[in-house]
Each structure stands twice: as C-alpha cells, then as structure tokens.
Amino acid sequence: MPSSSRDPSRPEDGFDVVLAGIAARGLAASARRAGLRALVLDLFADEDTRALASHAVQLRRRDGFALDPDDLLEQLGRHAGADVQLVLGTGFEDAPEIVAQLAARFRLVGSGADTLARLKDPVLFARQLAALGIPHPRLFAGEAPEDARALEKRVGGSGGGHVRPARRARGAGWYLQEFVEGRSVSALFLGNGEGAHLLAFSEQWCDASDDAPFRYGGCAGPVALEDARVRQVADALSRLTGAVGLRGLASADLILHEEGWHLIEVNPRPGATLDIFDAPPLPPLLRLHLDACAGRLPELPLLVPGANVEARAAGLFYAPAAIVLRDALPDWTADRPAPGTRIAAGEPVCTVRAAGRDIAEARAVLARRMDHLSRALSTASRAAAE
C-alpha cells in the first residue's frame, strides 16, 4: 500500500492531472499514454495502477466499495495542488454534493454537480428525456402495473449489482424502471457543454450471481449500428448534452430492439470502456476528455469494425469464493492486486482483457482466459479456507 503522507520528492505542482474514483487504473493508463504525470487516488492502489501513476494513494473504503468523502478531501488536500486538473471516475454518481465540494476547492475538469444531479436523479432524467423527445423506459411510482416488467434500481447506483426484478421499490433511495427487452449497447461520446461527438459503440453483458442478476460482466467493441440509428443516437446525445451541460467523456447505455431503441442511462464520466477503446486508432481518451471540457470536440470518424481495427473485450473476474492471492496475475489482466491480498467471495479480483479480429474472436479469447483464471485461483480459494 502506498504511503498516505506527501512524497517529499514530488512538489505540489509535480502532477499534470489528478485522477480519483473507486478504481482509477484505466484513467491512469490513459494519462500515461497521453504523456501526463498523474496522481491517482482510488480504493485499491493495485500494482499496475501504482506502476502507471506518478504517485498513487489508497483511499479509505466504506460500505462495500463506496468512497469516504472525508478521506478523499483530506488526501487531495495533502497531495494535490488547488490548480491541478481533477478528473473524476466512478464513485460519485450518487453524490453531487461531494462533486460540488470538490469543484469549490479544486480545478474540476468534467461535468459538475448540477449536470450529475440532472442525469442521475431518475425523475429529473426521465422528465428531461421526455422534453427532448428521446425514447426511454417508464418510471413507476409505488408499484409496477400488472402488464409491465420492472427493475428496482438504487438512485445513483453503478455496476449493476443493485438492479433486481421487482414489483415495488423498497423505499427512499430506490426506484422502479420499466424493463425493456433487447440488445444492450453502450455509446462512448464526448460533450463540450453544448453538443456531443460520438466515438464508438460497444456491446455489454451481465455476469449474474444469485443476489445480483444484472451485475456488470464486461464489454466488447467496436460494434456497428445501422446508419439511421447512429444518426438518431448522435442527435439525441447532442441535444441532451446541450440541455444538461455535460462536459467531457461519457457513456450512454442503450437497449436496441426491433421497434427502435431506448436510452436507459447516461454516465457523465470516463468508464469501463477505456479498457477497449483507449488504444489506436483513437487518441488517448483522457486527452480528448480534457479537450472537450475546454470546449473542443475532435473531428474523428466513428470507430467501426474493419480490417485495420482490432476488436477488444474486457470483463470483470469475480471471486467465486474467498481467496488469498498467492502469485502474480497474468499480464493479460489489469487492476492486479498484490500477492497476499485477501478478496471476499463475490468481490472483483481483476479485469481480464482480450483481443481478436472481430468481436466473436475477442469474446472467445476472453472466455478462455476467464476459465484459466478460475482454475488457477481455485488453489487460492482453498488456501483462504484453511
């Protein structure tokens, strides 16, 4: 674990960017690719994160994988200068008040608290989409009607572990959203507060567990959509961006079906698809994020499958039982904990990555690597039980 005290060899202005979130390794890799010196603060300070960062700080963890805002503010005050650019990853979806505090004290580069609240409050979001004429699932107050399927979701939740089929929401902080059948696709895009620019589409899937049937499993891309649908999505995201003032890298979760498509959710921050898209032919995505926040959108064609575009897949490997890591993980993994780390059953162990000539090949390689890792870690599970 890295030290929580200031490194005297690094002056306060020795970083180009500060990256903070639950797990910030993907952002750290993009910063390294962009030639930026990064201070990284997240819950894990994994070995590859520490190797990619100029300096890494492990934040205090609370309530599962939630950030402790007091610890975050303390560590930022100790390690980061007020003028250095601060980029937020996952972990702030349900905390616009924390984003507001950070923006007041540091140079936040990305969507602010008001944008976050308008996108992550389900009622405000649904009203905004309705006003713009963007197709979206219905919300149900109290109980879902008999003729509808519904999902219970936590307000500001991420990762899918909180999503379950339900007829009635459990109470404050939860809501019911109509379940829409179809293909799950994510759109990676940039916003400059006025309009948006689409970068790529990916497909995503769930890795269901007994108590989390919609737990995030992974993503693969790029995937191709019909030209008409691409234009519809691009127009919708551009209008939504202007309406809520979204800035920087973001992703939109879509459900595609025979009748059209629905916009399910927008995450106004860099996300999991960094692992499949932060590579040639695209420039460093963190650099694009910084440029978009300064008002500049790129003139880049939509990334689509082709002879010169490698397909990539990335998935989360969850511990099937409590384990103690005894050996270093393979180099095709990321978010690698140090040997000796104890991981509880159901918690993510690492990210597994793969590539291929097309999506099918990339996902097949990913599946084989997942199987290999499962067998390799079975001895670790036995060791943890002893």
Side-chain angles (χ1 to χ4, degrees):
M1 181 186 302
S3 170
S4 60
S5 61
R6 178 181 293 282
D7 184 344
S9 68
R10 293 184 172 89
E12 190 172 12
D13 61 353
F15 306 110
D16 300 308
V17 65
V18 178
L19 313 171
I22 291 176
R25 185 269 316 155
L27 280 169
S30 190
R32 172 65 65 88
R33 185 171 170 239
L36 300 173
R37 298 164 297 170
L39 167 64
V40 178
L41 304 96
D42 71 5
L43 296 183
F44 305 101
D46 288 319
E47 289 197 317
D48 45 346
T49 303
R50 293 161 64 183
L52 291 163
S54 294
H55 188 55
V57 176
Q58 186 169 18
L59 296 171
R60 188 162 61 228
R61 169 180 162 181
R62 69 170 196 180
D63 303 331
F65 290 106
L67 295 163
D68 184 322
D70 293 332
D71 183 49
L72 174 61
L73 287 166
E74 178 184 345
Q75 298 299 340
L76 281 170
R78 181 180 300 177
H79 295 277
D83 292 332
V84 70
Q85 301 176 102
L86 172 62
V87 176
L88 303 180
T90 187
F92 300 91
E93 290 83 358
D94 61 347
E97 69 282 358
I98 303 304
V99 174
Q101 290 182 48
L102 293 170
R105 293 181 54 179
F106 302 95
R107 186 183 166 197
L108 180 64
V109 183
S111 292
D114 180 65
T115 298
L116 181 64
R118 295 172 71 180
L119 290 173
K120 303 311 290 186
D121 180 296
V123 174
L124 293 179
F125 184 54
R127 288 175 180 170
Q128 184 70 76
L129 295 181
L132 294 171
I134 298 173
H136 61 284
R138 293 176 292 171
L139 295 184
F140 302 123
E143 188 171 349
E146 290 296 328
D147 63 345
R149 297 170 64 187
L151 299 174
E152 181 190 50
K153 298 184 176 183
R154 180 168 53 82
V155 175
S158 61
H162 59 101
V163 181
R164 293 169 182 81
R167 302 299 306 170
R168 179 184 293 274
R170 67 187 70 183
W174 296 82
Y175 66 102
L176 283 182
Q177 185 183 65
E178 181 182 19
F179 173 76
V180 179
E181 189 78 47
R183 181 188 181 193
S184 181
V185 169
S186 179
L188 180 68
F189 69 101
L190 290 160
N192 67 354
E194 299 177 354
H197 181 84
L198 268 176
L199 293 174
F201 290 97
S202 59
E203 63 183 24
Q204 51 190 4
W205 58 89
C206 298
D207 182 358
S209 66
D210 291 340
D211 60 347
F214 291 93
R215 181 176 68 174
Y216 177 77
C219 58
V223 298
L225 273 61
E226 299 88 343
D227 289 346
R229 190 160 293 181
V230 170
R231 289 193 295 270
Q232 293 168 4
V233 172
D235 174 68
L237 293 179
S238 194
R239 289 186 290 117
L240 179 62
T241 293
V244 303
L246 186 151
R247 291 183 178 275
L249 201 62
S251 60
D253 293 341
L254 315 170
I255 296 295
L256 311 182
H257 46 81
E258 290 184 1
E259 293 77 20
W261 59 279
H262 281 69
L263 176 56
I264 306 299
E265 173 176 29
V266 170
N267 291 307
R269 42 114 179 124
T273 55
L274 284 169
D275 277 323
I276 60 172
F277 290 138
D278 194 45
L282 289 179
L285 294 182
L286 182 58
R287 179 66 72 187
L288 293 181
H289 174 84
L290 299 177
D291 287 346
C293 291
R296 300 185 297 272
L297 293 179
E299 295 183 2
L300 291 170
L302 181 70
L303 187 66
V304 296
N308 298 319
V309 177
E310 187 176 46
R312 298 183 182 89
L316 283 182
F317 182 87
Y318 296 94
I323 63 173
V324 178
L325 290 182
R326 300 300 187 190
D327 301 303
L329 293 172
D331 58 7
W332 36 258
T333 63
D335 305 307
R336 294 191 289 271
T341 300
R342 292 182 175 271
I343 301 173
E347 290 188 352
V349 177
C350 63
T351 299
V352 179
R353 298 185 291 190
R357 290 166 295 183
D358 54 30
I359 293 292
E361 183 175 85
R363 290 196 62 172
V365 173
L366 182 69
R368 290 196 295 271
R369 289 178 172 177
M370 288 280 192
D371 290 341
H372 171 86
L373 197 58
S374 181
R375 292 192 300 271
L377 293 181
S378 63
T379 56
S381 300
R382 290 194 294 269
E386 293 175 353

